[in-house]
Amino acid sequence: MSVRTKIKHLPCTKSLHRISRLRHRHCHLNGNGNSIPAEDPHSLLKEDPLEILSNLWIKTFSQPQNPFTNLTGFLSKLDLWVLAYQRTYAHFTGSFPPRNALQSHVLSDLLSLRNTVIRGNFLWHTKIRQIIRGPNEVPITDQLSRRQLQSILTSKTPPFQDFVVQQALLMIFEPIFEPRFSSKSHAFRPGRNPHTVIRTIRSNFAGYLWFLKADISEVLDNVDVDVVMASLEKAIKDKKVLSLVKSGLKASRQGEGDEDEKDSRKRKKGQTKKRILNENEPRPDPYWLRTFFDFAPQEAAKIPNYGGCGILSPLLANVCLNELDHMMEQKTVEFFRPCERDTIWKYSMDDGCHNPAWPEFVPSSGKDKTRKMDFIRYGGHFLVGIRGPRQDAVETRKEIIEFCEKILGVRLDNSKIEIEHISRGIQFLDHIICRRVIYPTLRYTASGGNIVSENGVGTLLSVSASLQQCIRQFRKLKLVKGDRDPEPLPCTPMLYSGQAHTNSQMNKFLETMADWFRYADNRRKVVGFCAYVVRSSLAKLYAARYRLKSRAKVYKIASRDLSRPLREHTNNSAPEYSDLLRMGLVDAIEGVQFSHMSSIPSCDYTPFPRNWIPDHEKVLHEYINLQEPKVFYQLHKSVKQHGICLPQDEISHIVWQYKTLGVRSLSQKLCGDKGMENAYEKVMVASS
């Protein structure tokens, strides 16, 4: 037996390996082979991470088309890794840890994770030998059994260090690609949401006759790695970062096949067993929030998840679909052909003050008819409005199918891109887009000075909430039964909750629903229906809980909004609710909101600019303009021409007079006969 083999079988070999791992953790070798002590993480925390990211946002918006060749320099900043850890910690525990409260071993682990990523040695889905662990994870010290090892390897939850790396990449990628994204994309982006989609449709899609409603959500489910990398390489030239993302895309999500069946069996066996939360574990979402999430429309329900990229996947999906957005923008410009008789759409489509009213006056027939197109996308679904014949919609659909197959590698058929007329109504984000006929009174002055009033006929674009879709969602939650005449069912999930807690939970749900349908024409009708379902469901629940036999008796005791207390007949000796409320032993009972139609807010018709951009982009553009010397010189010149004094000049003049003339003479000059005290206060504030 060789000497090397004998050494392997020595009992002290394991301890020697542990010592060597600890030694390599605190030191590494340089190019000459000499050991260098590890860096102190506290000495590397020199900059503010928010300032670093702000400068990156400003740089990308000032030069949006310039590619980035050195993103490794941003990943080498330990300050960004600390911020990524703080955000990931807050996601897992629900509380954002202060920077000065992080322990030294956490900073050392973050430094080791940063070095591993920079050197290209990071491996996704490493669940056994993690560099850094989550706040609720227990470090592995003893030797694991085969069953424990199998449960760790087959668990669905990715390692904590993967979330930290994803967050660090997201903070760097988001400012790089945001100025490159099209303004027609509204999903998974800061400052944009489904409400901006609804408002844009109401403002810009009036007058279109044919609509293309497309579903390309296959891109969100699975996408070719080469397609994603080709899109990333147009903006990022750093090979280390690209290889890190590519390895994350190729990493498979383990434990998704048979784990669903195992989890369902476990739920059936122990579904009545209560689970005790850990100290740092966040509480689960309340009932009202889970109920509202179940109302998510089809377009917003699916979130992409590519390989091991996790929270980075929605951004990568937008990067891939950005090619489609720019193609449709170019198609929209080429398709626009106004006629001479068009008094509404004959001007430029990007003027920002386009008038969408009275689209029936836009010529749509004859040789000189106006042709126009618009496009908007939310996630894997998009909508195209066309003013023209149906043949134009057919040709546009054909071009989209060819583009998706050639660029995105997704094969679509005609069933994925439907052509619908405005008269039939188009459902998008649980809202129905259709035409509404109005009969306005036209008053004008005829010959002879007589005022003539005539009844006209016109059409306006209507964006209303889908009541049938709302009923389907309630039926899925088992709160109603039936289609044409839905009957409310008792709210059984709140069976063991008190009346005050139940009412408050459902009030939050109704407030959220009222905000979701904020821009629907039939907002009052839909919210009133939701309030009726919730109020009737709670009334049936209280009738079963307090043995009152019917909803009528519940309404008789607790009133229409269920704000009066209910109690069981068997507990007649219990003290009155008013006495318990005065002593602070019970919570105040809130009445169920929107019990009257007059209390429901109406639709919000606030005008929406045609070329709208989020507030943070406005601030960035204004800041970049002020940084240019020409803009600042013109602004300063206009101030001088109008004889306006800058605040800085006025304050410096006051301070100079305070230093040269003194407090007494300056205060007399400022306020005259109004008193010395006020003048002295002004001077002191200006000098400070």
mmCIF file of all heavy atoms in Angstrom, residues 380-410:
data_model
loop_
_atom_site.group_PDB
_atom_site.id
_atom_site.type_symbol
_atom_site.label_atom_id
_atom_site.label_comp_id
_atom_site.label_asym_id
_atom_site.label_seq_id
_atom_site.Cartn_x
_atom_site.Cartn_y
_atom_site.Cartn_z
ATOM 1 N N GLY A 380 -46.844 38.550 -21.735
ATOM 2 C CA GLY A 380 -46.926 37.731 -22.935
ATOM 3 C C GLY A 380 -48.169 37.957 -23.751
ATOM 4 O O GLY A 380 -48.482 37.135 -24.628
ATOM 5 N N HIS A 381 -48.908 39.038 -23.519
ATOM 6 C CA HIS A 381 -50.126 39.360 -24.265
ATOM 7 C C HIS A 381 -50.001 40.787 -24.786
ATOM 8 O O HIS A 381 -49.528 41.677 -24.068
ATOM 9 C CB HIS A 381 -51.367 39.242 -23.378
ATOM 10 C CG HIS A 381 -51.577 37.872 -22.812
ATOM 11 N ND1 HIS A 381 -52.515 36.986 -23.318
ATOM 12 C CD2 HIS A 381 -50.980 37.219 -21.785
ATOM 13 C CE1 HIS A 381 -52.478 35.862 -22.625
ATOM 14 N NE2 HIS A 381 -51.549 35.984 -21.688
ATOM 15 N N PHE A 382 -50.433 40.998 -26.015
ATOM 16 C CA PHE A 382 -50.418 42.350 -26.560
ATOM 17 C C PHE A 382 -51.662 42.584 -27.397
ATOM 18 O O PHE A 382 -52.359 41.638 -27.807
ATOM 19 C CB PHE A 382 -49.142 42.621 -27.373
ATOM 20 C CG PHE A 382 -48.967 41.779 -28.599
ATOM 21 C CD1 PHE A 382 -49.555 42.126 -29.813
ATOM 22 C CD2 PHE A 382 -48.190 40.634 -28.560
ATOM 23 C CE1 PHE A 382 -49.391 41.365 -30.939
ATOM 24 C CE2 PHE A 382 -48.014 39.854 -29.686
ATOM 25 C CZ PHE A 382 -48.611 40.225 -30.874
ATOM 26 N N LEU A 383 -51.939 43.857 -27.639
ATOM 27 C CA LEU A 383 -53.142 44.293 -28.350
ATOM 28 C C LEU A 383 -52.720 45.262 -29.443
ATOM 29 O O LEU A 383 -51.924 46.181 -29.202
ATOM 30 C CB LEU A 383 -54.107 44.973 -27.375
ATOM 31 C CG LEU A 383 -55.560 45.151 -27.818
ATOM 32 C CD1 LEU A 383 -56.246 43.803 -27.936
ATOM 33 C CD2 LEU A 383 -56.304 46.022 -26.812
ATOM 34 N N VAL A 384 -53.258 45.058 -30.640
ATOM 35 C CA VAL A 384 -52.974 45.910 -31.789
ATOM 36 C C VAL A 384 -54.295 46.448 -32.305
ATOM 37 O O VAL A 384 -55.206 45.671 -32.617
ATOM 38 C CB VAL A 384 -52.230 45.147 -32.905
ATOM 39 C CG1 VAL A 384 -51.921 46.077 -34.073
ATOM 40 C CG2 VAL A 384 -50.954 44.524 -32.369
ATOM 41 N N GLY A 385 -54.424 47.773 -32.364
ATOM 42 C CA GLY A 385 -55.607 48.416 -32.928
ATOM 43 C C GLY A 385 -55.332 48.915 -34.328
ATOM 44 O O GLY A 385 -54.293 49.535 -34.578
ATOM 45 N N ILE A 386 -56.237 48.652 -35.283
ATOM 46 C CA ILE A 386 -56.037 48.989 -36.691
ATOM 47 C C ILE A 386 -57.246 49.747 -37.184
ATOM 48 O O ILE A 386 -58.392 49.314 -37.006
ATOM 49 C CB ILE A 386 -55.814 47.716 -37.543
ATOM 50 C CG1 ILE A 386 -54.547 46.995 -37.080
ATOM 51 C CG2 ILE A 386 -55.720 48.069 -39.022
ATOM 52 C CD1 ILE A 386 -54.313 45.681 -37.793
ATOM 53 N N ARG A 387 -57.005 50.894 -37.823
ATOM 54 C CA ARG A 387 -58.033 51.654 -38.527
ATOM 55 C C ARG A 387 -57.844 51.405 -40.015
ATOM 56 O O ARG A 387 -56.939 51.946 -40.652
ATOM 57 C CB ARG A 387 -57.902 53.144 -38.208
ATOM 58 C CG ARG A 387 -58.925 54.030 -38.900
ATOM 59 C CD ARG A 387 -60.274 53.959 -38.239
ATOM 60 N NE ARG A 387 -61.217 54.908 -38.818
ATOM 61 C CZ ARG A 387 -62.429 55.128 -38.335
ATOM 62 N NH1 ARG A 387 -62.844 54.477 -37.270
ATOM 63 N NH2 ARG A 387 -63.242 55.982 -38.894
ATOM 64 N N GLY A 388 -58.662 50.539 -40.582
ATOM 65 C CA GLY A 388 -58.532 50.160 -41.975
ATOM 66 C C GLY A 388 -59.317 48.887 -42.234
ATOM 67 O O GLY A 388 -60.066 48.402 -41.374
ATOM 68 N N PRO A 389 -59.169 48.304 -43.411
ATOM 69 C CA PRO A 389 -59.909 47.073 -43.729
ATOM 70 C C PRO A 389 -59.349 45.872 -42.962
ATOM 71 O O PRO A 389 -58.253 45.908 -42.397
ATOM 72 C CB PRO A 389 -59.705 46.919 -45.244
ATOM 73 C CG PRO A 389 -58.427 47.636 -45.526
ATOM 74 C CD PRO A 389 -58.369 48.782 -44.559
ATOM 75 N N ARG A 390 -60.095 44.785 -42.984
ATOM 76 C CA ARG A 390 -59.686 43.578 -42.277
ATOM 77 C C ARG A 390 -58.454 42.949 -42.907
ATOM 78 O O ARG A 390 -57.672 42.275 -42.222
ATOM 79 C CB ARG A 390 -60.835 42.565 -42.274
ATOM 80 C CG ARG A 390 -60.609 41.372 -41.356
ATOM 81 C CD ARG A 390 -61.787 40.412 -41.395
ATOM 82 N NE ARG A 390 -61.635 39.347 -40.408
ATOM 83 C CZ ARG A 390 -60.917 38.237 -40.595
ATOM 84 N NH1 ARG A 390 -60.295 38.058 -41.769
ATOM 85 N NH2 ARG A 390 -60.830 37.325 -39.650
ATOM 86 N N GLN A 391 -58.242 43.194 -44.189
ATOM 87 C CA GLN A 391 -57.086 42.627 -44.860
ATOM 88 C C GLN A 391 -55.785 43.133 -44.242
ATOM 89 O O GLN A 391 -54.798 42.394 -44.151
ATOM 90 C CB GLN A 391 -57.130 42.958 -46.362
ATOM 91 C CG GLN A 391 -56.009 42.339 -47.181
ATOM 92 C CD GLN A 391 -56.048 40.817 -47.154
ATOM 93 O OE1 GLN A 391 -57.105 40.221 -47.006
ATOM 94 N NE2 GLN A 391 -54.882 40.199 -47.302
ATOM 95 N N ASP A 392 -55.778 44.378 -43.786
ATOM 96 C CA ASP A 392 -54.587 44.907 -43.111
ATOM 97 C C ASP A 392 -54.310 44.158 -41.816
ATOM 98 O O ASP A 392 -53.150 43.901 -41.470
ATOM 99 C CB ASP A 392 -54.771 46.397 -42.816
ATOM 100 C CG ASP A 392 -54.818 47.232 -44.078
ATOM 101 O OD1 ASP A 392 -54.353 46.729 -45.124
ATOM 102 O OD2 ASP A 392 -55.329 48.370 -44.030
ATOM 103 N N ALA A 393 -55.369 43.786 -41.094
ATOM 104 C CA ALA A 393 -55.181 43.017 -39.864
ATOM 105 C C ALA A 393 -54.640 41.625 -40.165
ATOM 106 O O ALA A 393 -53.788 41.106 -39.433
ATOM 107 C CB ALA A 393 -56.501 42.923 -39.105
ATOM 108 N N VAL A 394 -55.097 41.011 -41.261
ATOM 109 C CA VAL A 394 -54.610 39.680 -41.635
ATOM 110 C C VAL A 394 -53.131 39.736 -42.003
ATOM 111 O O VAL A 394 -52.326 38.877 -41.594
ATOM 112 C CB VAL A 394 -55.452 39.112 -42.796
ATOM 113 C CG1 VAL A 394 -54.858 37.799 -43.295
ATOM 114 C CG2 VAL A 394 -56.894 38.915 -42.356
ATOM 115 N N GLU A 395 -52.726 40.756 -42.762
ATOM 116 C CA GLU A 395 -51.322 40.883 -43.141
ATOM 117 C C GLU A 395 -50.441 41.175 -41.930
ATOM 118 O O GLU A 395 -49.320 40.646 -41.824
ATOM 119 C CB GLU A 395 -51.178 41.993 -44.185
ATOM 120 C CG GLU A 395 -51.854 41.677 -45.507
ATOM 121 C CD GLU A 395 -51.763 42.828 -46.487
ATOM 122 O OE1 GLU A 395 -51.190 43.875 -46.084
ATOM 123 O OE2 GLU A 395 -52.255 42.693 -47.625
ATOM 124 N N THR A 396 -50.930 41.979 -41.013
ATOM 125 C CA THR A 396 -50.153 42.264 -39.799
ATOM 126 C C THR A 396 -49.977 41.011 -38.958
ATOM 127 O O THR A 396 -48.892 40.760 -38.406
ATOM 128 C CB THR A 396 -50.856 43.358 -38.979
ATOM 129 O OG1 THR A 396 -51.053 44.523 -39.797
ATOM 130 C CG2 THR A 396 -50.034 43.726 -37.762
ATOM 131 N N ARG A 397 -51.019 40.199 -38.852
ATOM 132 C CA ARG A 397 -50.898 38.949 -38.110
ATOM 133 C C ARG A 397 -49.869 38.018 -38.749
ATOM 134 O O ARG A 397 -49.073 37.376 -38.055
ATOM 135 C CB ARG A 397 -52.257 38.254 -38.024
ATOM 136 C CG ARG A 397 -52.216 36.918 -37.311
ATOM 137 C CD ARG A 397 -53.593 36.347 -37.101
ATOM 138 N NE ARG A 397 -54.260 36.029 -38.349
ATOM 139 C CZ ARG A 397 -55.485 35.501 -38.434
ATOM 140 N NH1 ARG A 397 -56.156 35.234 -37.323
ATOM 141 N NH2 ARG A 397 -56.041 35.251 -39.598
ATOM 142 N N LYS A 398 -49.848 37.974 -40.040
ATOM 143 C CA LYS A 398 -48.881 37.126 -40.736
ATOM 144 C C LYS A 398 -47.456 37.587 -40.473
ATOM 145 O O LYS A 398 -46.548 36.762 -40.232
ATOM 146 C CB LYS A 398 -49.185 37.138 -42.238
ATOM 147 C CG LYS A 398 -48.293 36.222 -43.050
ATOM 148 C CD LYS A 398 -48.680 36.266 -44.521
ATOM 149 C CE LYS A 398 -47.767 35.362 -45.345
ATOM 150 N NZ LYS A 398 -48.116 35.401 -46.789
ATOM 151 N N GLU A 399 -47.227 38.903 -40.465
ATOM 152 C CA GLU A 399 -45.884 39.425 -40.196
ATOM 153 C C GLU A 399 -45.451 39.125 -38.759
ATOM 154 O O GLU A 399 -44.281 38.812 -38.501
ATOM 155 C CB GLU A 399 -45.860 40.930 -40.450
ATOM 156 C CG GLU A 399 -46.054 41.309 -41.910
ATOM 157 C CD GLU A 399 -46.040 42.814 -42.106
ATOM 158 O OE1 GLU A 399 -45.758 43.526 -41.115
ATOM 159 O OE2 GLU A 399 -46.300 43.264 -43.232
ATOM 160 N N ILE A 400 -46.385 39.215 -37.816
ATOM 161 C CA ILE A 400 -46.041 38.932 -36.418
ATOM 162 C C ILE A 400 -45.674 37.463 -36.242
ATOM 163 O O ILE A 400 -44.708 37.127 -35.533
ATOM 164 C CB ILE A 400 -47.213 39.325 -35.502
ATOM 165 C CG1 ILE A 400 -47.415 40.849 -35.514
ATOM 166 C CG2 ILE A 400 -46.976 38.842 -34.078
ATOM 167 C CD1 ILE A 400 -48.637 41.302 -34.754
ATOM 168 N N ILE A 401 -46.415 36.572 -36.878
ATOM 169 C CA ILE A 401 -46.123 35.140 -36.766
ATOM 170 C C ILE A 401 -44.743 34.827 -37.352
ATOM 171 O O ILE A 401 -43.952 34.066 -36.758
ATOM 172 C CB ILE A 401 -47.223 34.324 -37.466
ATOM 173 C CG1 ILE A 401 -48.547 34.445 -36.699
ATOM 174 C CG2 ILE A 401 -46.817 32.863 -37.589
ATOM 175 C CD1 ILE A 401 -49.713 33.763 -37.370
ATOM 176 N N GLU A 402 -44.419 35.421 -38.504
ATOM 177 C CA GLU A 402 -43.107 35.186 -39.109
ATOM 178 C C GLU A 402 -41.988 35.757 -38.247
ATOM 179 O O GLU A 402 -40.924 35.130 -38.097
ATOM 180 C CB GLU A 402 -43.069 35.816 -40.508
ATOM 181 C CG GLU A 402 -43.995 35.142 -41.511
ATOM 182 C CD GLU A 402 -43.985 35.840 -42.854
ATOM 183 O OE1 GLU A 402 -43.319 36.908 -42.950
ATOM 184 O OE2 GLU A 402 -44.630 35.342 -43.799
ATOM 185 N N PHE A 403 -42.205 36.908 -37.650
ATOM 186 C CA PHE A 403 -41.170 37.519 -36.812
ATOM 187 C C PHE A 403 -40.915 36.673 -35.563
ATOM 188 O O PHE A 403 -39.763 36.451 -35.171
ATOM 189 C CB PHE A 403 -41.602 38.932 -36.423
ATOM 190 C CG PHE A 403 -40.599 39.653 -35.562
ATOM 191 C CD1 PHE A 403 -39.550 40.343 -36.140
ATOM 192 C CD2 PHE A 403 -40.702 39.631 -34.180
ATOM 193 C CE1 PHE A 403 -38.618 41.009 -35.350
ATOM 194 C CE2 PHE A 403 -39.781 40.287 -33.380
ATOM 195 C CZ PHE A 403 -38.735 40.972 -33.976
ATOM 196 N N CYS A 404 -41.982 36.206 -34.922
ATOM 197 C CA CYS A 404 -41.818 35.405 -33.704
ATOM 198 C C CYS A 404 -41.104 34.087 -33.991
ATOM 199 O O CYS A 404 -40.295 33.624 -33.179
ATOM 200 C CB CYS A 404 -43.180 35.139 -33.066
ATOM 201 S SG CYS A 404 -43.969 36.601 -32.351
ATOM 202 N N GLU A 405 -41.381 33.491 -35.130
ATOM 203 C CA GLU A 405 -40.721 32.232 -35.471
ATOM 204 C C GLU A 405 -39.264 32.447 -35.844
ATOM 205 O O GLU A 405 -38.399 31.616 -35.527
ATOM 206 C CB GLU A 405 -41.461 31.554 -36.625
ATOM 207 C CG GLU A 405 -40.915 30.178 -36.982
ATOM 208 C CD GLU A 405 -41.741 29.495 -38.050
ATOM 209 O OE1 GLU A 405 -42.751 30.091 -38.492
ATOM 210 O OE2 GLU A 405 -41.387 28.369 -38.452
ATOM 211 N N LYS A 406 -38.952 33.573 -36.461
ATOM 212 C CA LYS A 406 -37.587 33.823 -36.920
ATOM 213 C C LYS A 406 -36.693 34.352 -35.802
ATOM 214 O O LYS A 406 -35.544 33.906 -35.659
ATOM 215 C CB LYS A 406 -37.628 34.827 -38.078
ATOM 216 C CG LYS A 406 -36.258 35.166 -38.642
ATOM 217 C CD LYS A 406 -36.374 36.161 -39.784
ATOM 218 C CE LYS A 406 -34.992 36.528 -40.337
ATOM 219 N NZ LYS A 406 -35.091 37.519 -41.436
ATOM 220 N N ILE A 407 -37.183 35.268 -35.011
ATOM 221 C CA ILE A 407 -36.352 35.926 -33.998
ATOM 222 C C ILE A 407 -36.466 35.235 -32.645
ATOM 223 O O ILE A 407 -35.456 34.951 -31.993
ATOM 224 C CB ILE A 407 -36.734 37.412 -33.879
ATOM 225 C CG1 ILE A 407 -36.613 38.095 -35.247
ATOM 226 C CG2 ILE A 407 -35.856 38.110 -32.856
ATOM 227 C CD1 ILE A 407 -35.217 38.085 -35.832
ATOM 228 N N LEU A 408 -37.694 34.960 -32.192
ATOM 229 C CA LEU A 408 -37.899 34.394 -30.860
ATOM 230 C C LEU A 408 -37.910 32.887 -30.841
ATOM 231 O O LEU A 408 -37.850 32.284 -29.754
ATOM 232 C CB LEU A 408 -39.226 34.923 -30.274
ATOM 233 C CG LEU A 408 -39.344 36.447 -30.141
ATOM 234 C CD1 LEU A 408 -40.701 36.816 -29.576
ATOM 235 C CD2 LEU A 408 -38.231 37.013 -29.276
ATOM 236 N N GLY A 409 -38.018 32.254 -31.994
ATOM 237 C CA GLY A 409 -38.054 30.797 -32.035
ATOM 238 C C GLY A 409 -39.342 30.210 -31.515
ATOM 239 O O GLY A 409 -39.353 29.069 -31.031
ATOM 240 N N VAL A 410 -40.459 30.948 -31.615
ATOM 241 C CA VAL A 410 -41.762 30.494 -31.123
ATOM 242 C C VAL A 410 -42.700 30.384 -32.316
ATOM 243 O O VAL A 410 -42.884 31.361 -33.059
ATOM 244 C CB VAL A 410 -42.333 31.467 -30.069
ATOM 245 C CG1 VAL A 410 -43.709 31.003 -29.604
ATOM 246 C CG2 VAL A 410 -41.386 31.580 -28.891
#
